[in-house]
Coordinates of all heavy atoms in Angstrom, one line a residue:
T1 N 70.1 84.3 123.0 CA 69.6 85.4 123.9 C 69.9 85.3 125.3 O 69.8 86.3 126.1 CB 68.1 85.6 123.7 OG1 67.4 84.4 124.3 CG2 67.7 85.8 122.3
G2 N 70.2 84.1 125.8 CA 70.4 83.8 127.2 C 69.1 83.7 128.0 O 69.1 83.5 129.2
Q3 N 68.0 83.9 127.3 CA 66.7 83.8 127.9 C 66.3 82.3 128.2 O 66.7 81.5 127.5 CB 65.6 84.5 127.1 CG 65.8 85.9 126.8 CD 65.7 86.7 128.1 OE1 64.7 86.5 128.9 NE2 66.6 87.5 128.4
P4 N 65.5 82.1 129.2 CA 65.1 80.7 129.5 C 64.1 80.1 128.4 O 63.3 80.9 127.9 CB 64.4 80.8 130.9 CG 64.0 82.2 131.0 CD 64.9 83.0 130.2
D5 N 64.3 78.9 128.1 CA 63.4 78.1 127.3 C 62.8 77.1 128.1 O 63.4 76.5 129.0 CB 64.2 77.4 126.1 CG 64.6 78.4 125.0 OD1 63.9 79.3 124.8 OD2 65.7 78.1 124.4
F6 N 61.5 76.8 127.8 CA 60.7 75.8 128.6 C 60.1 74.9 127.6 O 59.8 75.2 126.5 CB 59.6 76.5 129.4 CG 60.1 77.6 130.3 CD1 60.1 78.9 129.9 CD2 60.5 77.3 131.6 CE1 60.6 79.9 130.7 CE2 61.0 78.3 132.4 CZ 61.0 79.6 132.0
G7 N 59.8 73.7 128.1 CA 59.2 72.7 127.3 C 58.9 71.4 128.0 O 59.2 71.3 129.2
T8 N 58.3 70.5 127.3 CA 58.0 69.2 127.8 C 58.7 68.1 126.9 O 58.7 68.2 125.7 CB 56.5 68.9 127.7 OG1 55.8 69.8 128.5 CG2 56.1 67.5 128.1
I9 N 59.5 67.3 127.6 CA 60.2 66.2 126.9 C 59.4 64.9 127.1 O 59.1 64.6 128.3 CB 61.7 66.1 127.4 CG1 62.4 67.4 127.3 CG2 62.4 64.9 126.7 CD1 62.7 67.9 125.9
R10 N 59.2 64.2 126.0 CA 58.5 62.9 126.1 C 59.5 61.8 125.6 O 60.1 62.0 124.5 CB 57.3 62.9 125.3 CG 56.2 63.8 125.9 CD 54.9 63.8 125.1 NE 53.9 64.6 125.8 CZ 53.8 65.9 125.6 NH1 54.6 66.5 124.8 NH2 52.8 66.6 126.3
I11 N 59.6 60.8 126.4 CA 60.5 59.7 126.1 C 59.6 58.4 126.0 O 58.9 58.1 126.9 CB 61.6 59.5 127.2 CG1 62.4 60.8 127.3 CG2 62.5 58.3 126.8 CD1 63.1 60.9 128.7
S12 N 59.8 57.7 124.9 CA 59.1 56.4 124.7 C 60.2 55.4 124.3 O 61.0 55.7 123.4 CB 58.0 56.4 123.6 OG 57.0 57.3 124.0
Y13 N 60.2 54.2 125.0 CA 61.2 53.2 124.6 C 60.8 51.8 125.0 O 59.9 51.6 125.8 CB 62.6 53.6 125.2 CG 62.7 53.4 126.7 CD1 63.5 52.3 127.1 CD2 62.2 54.3 127.6 CE1 63.6 52.1 128.5 CE2 62.4 54.1 128.9 CZ 63.1 53.0 129.4 OH 63.3 52.8 130.7
A14 N 61.4 50.9 124.3 CA 61.2 49.5 124.6 C 62.6 49.0 125.2 O 63.6 49.0 124.5 CB 60.9 48.7 123.3
P15 N 62.6 48.7 126.5 CA 63.9 48.3 127.1 C 64.3 47.0 126.6 O 63.5 46.1 126.2 CB 63.5 48.3 128.6 CG 62.1 48.0 128.6 CD 61.5 48.7 127.4
A16 N 65.6 46.8 126.6 CA 66.2 45.5 126.3 C 66.6 44.9 127.6 O 65.8 44.3 128.3 CB 67.4 45.6 125.3
K17 N 67.8 45.1 128.0 CA 68.3 44.5 129.3 C 68.2 45.4 130.5 O 68.2 45.0 131.6 CB 69.8 44.1 129.2 CG 70.0 42.9 128.2 CD 71.5 42.6 128.1 CE 71.6 41.4 127.1 NZ 73.0 41.0 127.0
A18 N 68.0 46.7 130.2 CA 68.0 47.7 131.3 C 66.9 48.8 131.1 O 66.5 49.1 130.0 CB 69.3 48.4 131.4
C19 N 66.4 49.3 132.2 CA 65.4 50.4 132.2 C 66.0 51.6 132.9 O 66.9 51.5 133.7 CB 64.2 50.0 133.1 SG 63.3 48.5 132.5
L20 N 65.6 52.8 132.5 CA 66.1 54.0 133.0 C 65.6 54.2 134.5 O 64.4 54.0 134.7 CB 65.6 55.2 132.2 CG 66.2 55.2 130.7 CD1 65.5 56.3 130.0 CD2 67.7 55.4 130.7
E21 N 66.4 54.6 135.4 CA 66.0 54.9 136.7 C 65.6 56.4 136.8 O 66.3 57.3 136.4 CB 67.2 54.6 137.6 CG 66.9 54.5 139.1 CD 66.8 55.9 139.8 OE1 67.6 56.8 139.5 OE2 65.9 56.0 140.6
L22 N 64.4 56.6 137.3 CA 63.8 57.9 137.2 C 64.4 59.0 138.1 O 64.5 60.2 137.6 CB 62.3 57.8 137.6 CG 61.5 56.9 136.6 CD1 60.0 56.9 137.0 CD2 61.6 57.4 135.2
K23 N 64.9 58.7 139.3 CA 65.6 59.8 140.0 C 66.8 60.2 139.3 O 67.1 61.5 139.2 CB 65.9 59.3 141.4 CG 66.6 60.4 142.3 CD 66.9 60.0 143.7 CE 67.6 61.1 144.4 NZ 68.0 60.6 145.7
S24 N 67.6 59.3 138.8 CA 68.8 59.7 138.0 C 68.4 60.5 136.8 O 69.1 61.4 136.4 CB 69.5 58.4 137.6 OG 70.6 58.7 136.9
L25 N 67.3 60.1 136.1 CA 66.8 60.9 135.0 C 66.5 62.3 135.3 O 66.8 63.2 134.6 CB 65.6 60.1 134.3 CG 65.1 60.7 133.0 CD1 66.1 60.6 131.9 CD2 63.8 60.0 132.6
K26 N 65.8 62.4 136.5 CA 65.4 63.8 136.9 C 66.7 64.6 137.2 O 66.8 65.8 136.7 CB 64.6 63.7 138.2 CG 64.3 65.1 138.8 CD 63.5 64.9 140.1 CE 64.5 64.6 141.3 NZ 63.9 64.8 142.6
L27 N 67.7 64.1 137.8 CA 69.0 64.8 138.0 C 69.7 65.1 136.7 O 70.3 66.2 136.5 CB 69.9 64.0 139.0 CG 69.3 63.8 140.4 CD1 70.2 62.9 141.2 CD2 69.1 65.1 141.1
Y28 N 69.6 64.2 135.8 CA 70.1 64.4 134.4 C 69.5 65.7 133.8 O 70.2 66.6 133.3 CB 69.9 63.2 133.6 CG 70.2 63.4 132.1 CD1 71.4 63.3 131.6 CD2 69.1 63.7 131.2 CE1 71.7 63.5 130.2 CE2 69.3 63.9 129.9 CZ 70.6 63.8 129.4 OH 70.9 64.0 128.0
F29 N 68.2 65.8 133.9 CA 67.5 66.9 133.3 C 67.8 68.2 134.0 O 67.8 69.3 133.4 CB 66.0 66.7 133.2 CG 65.6 65.9 132.0 CD1 65.2 64.6 132.0 CD2 65.7 66.5 130.7 CE1 64.9 63.9 130.9 CE2 65.4 65.8 129.6 CZ 65.0 64.4 129.7
H30 N 68.1 68.2 135.3 CA 68.5 69.4 136.0 C 69.8 70.0 135.4 O 70.0 71.2 135.5 CB 68.7 69.1 137.5 CG 67.4 68.9 138.3 ND1 67.4 68.9 139.6 CD2 66.2 68.8 137.9 CE1 66.2 68.7 140.0 NE2 65.4 68.6 139.0
G31 N 70.6 69.1 134.8 CA 71.9 69.6 134.2 C 71.6 70.5 133.0 O 72.6 71.2 132.6
Y32 N 70.5 70.5 132.5 CA 70.2 71.4 131.3 C 69.8 72.8 131.8 O 69.8 73.7 130.9 CB 69.0 70.8 130.5 CG 69.5 69.8 129.5 CD1 69.6 68.5 129.8 CD2 69.8 70.3 128.2 CE1 70.0 67.6 128.8 CE2 70.3 69.4 127.2 CZ 70.4 68.0 127.6 OH 70.8 67.2 126.6
R33 N 69.4 73.0 133.0 CA 68.8 74.3 133.4 C 69.7 75.5 133.1 O 69.1 76.6 132.8 CB 68.6 74.3 134.9 CG 67.4 73.4 135.2 CD 67.0 73.5 136.7 NE 65.8 72.7 136.9 CZ 65.3 72.5 138.1 NH1 65.8 73.0 139.1 NH2 64.2 71.8 138.2
N34 N 71.0 75.4 133.2 CA 71.9 76.6 133.0 C 72.7 76.5 131.8 O 73.7 77.2 131.6 CB 72.7 76.8 134.2 CG 71.9 77.2 135.5 OD1 71.0 78.0 135.4 ND2 72.2 76.6 136.6
R35 N 72.3 75.6 130.9 CA 73.0 75.3 129.6 C 72.4 76.1 128.5 O 71.2 76.1 128.3 CB 73.1 73.9 129.3 CG 73.9 73.0 130.2 CD 74.1 71.6 129.7 NE 74.6 71.6 128.3 CZ 74.2 70.8 127.4 NH1 73.3 69.8 127.6 NH2 74.7 70.8 126.2
G36 N 73.2 76.7 127.7 CA 72.8 77.3 126.4 C 72.7 76.2 125.3 O 73.8 75.7 125.0
V37 N 71.5 75.9 124.9 CA 71.4 74.8 123.9 C 70.2 75.0 123.0 O 69.1 75.4 123.5 CB 71.4 73.4 124.6 CG1 70.2 73.3 125.5 CG2 71.4 72.3 123.6
F38 N 70.4 74.8 121.7 CA 69.2 74.9 120.8 C 68.3 73.7 121.0 O 68.8 72.6 121.4 CB 69.7 74.9 119.3 CG 70.4 76.3 119.0 CD1 71.7 76.4 118.8 CD2 69.6 77.4 118.8 CE1 72.3 77.6 118.4 CE2 70.2 78.6 118.5 CZ 71.5 78.7 118.3
Y39 N 67.1 73.8 120.6 CA 66.1 72.7 120.8 C 66.6 71.4 120.1 O 66.5 70.3 120.7 CB 64.8 73.1 120.2 CG 64.1 74.3 120.7 CD1 63.2 75.0 119.9 CD2 64.2 74.7 122.0 CE1 62.6 76.1 120.4 CE2 63.5 75.8 122.5 CZ 62.7 76.5 121.7 OH 62.0 77.6 122.1
E40 N 67.0 71.6 118.9 CA 67.4 70.4 118.1 C 68.6 69.7 118.7 O 68.6 68.4 118.8 CB 67.8 70.8 116.6 CG 66.7 71.5 115.9 CD 66.4 73.0 116.2 OE1 67.1 73.5 117.0 OE2 65.5 73.5 115.6
A41 N 69.6 70.4 119.2 CA 70.7 69.8 119.9 C 70.3 69.2 121.2 O 70.9 68.1 121.5 CB 71.8 70.9 120.1
A42 N 69.4 69.8 121.9 CA 69.0 69.2 123.2 C 68.3 67.8 122.9 O 68.6 66.8 123.6 CB 68.0 70.1 123.9
V43 N 67.3 67.8 122.0 CA 66.6 66.5 121.8 C 67.5 65.4 121.3 O 67.5 64.3 121.8 CB 65.4 66.8 120.8 CG1 64.8 65.5 120.4 CG2 64.4 67.7 121.5
N44 N 68.4 65.7 120.4 CA 69.3 64.7 119.8 C 70.3 64.3 120.9 O 70.7 63.1 121.0 CB 69.9 65.2 118.5 CG 69.0 65.1 117.4 OD1 68.8 64.0 116.9 ND2 68.4 66.2 116.9
G45 N 70.8 65.2 121.7 CA 71.7 64.9 122.8 C 71.1 64.0 123.8 O 71.7 63.1 124.3

C-alpha cells in the first residue's frame, strides 16, 4: 500500500567478541524508514 508501518523491535543477544554500538544501530534503523518491506522480511533481515 505504501502506507507507513510502525512497530517496536526488540533485540536480545549474548555477545561473543563484540557488542553492537548503539549510535550505529540507530542509524541502521533509520535506513528502514523509506523502504517497502514486509514484517517477516524486516525481522529476518
Side-chain angles (χ1 to χ4, degrees):
T1 66
Q3 296 296 311
D5 284 327
F6 303 96
T8 298
I9 304 294
R10 290 182 179 86
I11 303 159
S12 295
Y13 72 104
K17 293 181 181 180
C19 299
L20 297 171
E21 194 278 320
L22 296 180
K23 181 179 179 185
S24 178
L25 185 64
K26 177 180 81 168
L27 295 174
Y28 167 84
F29 277 107
H30 284 193
Y32 273 90
R33 288 186 174 176
N34 294 315
R35 289 188 57 216
V37 60
F38 288 109
Y39 301 149
E40 297 81 0
V43 169
N44 281 284

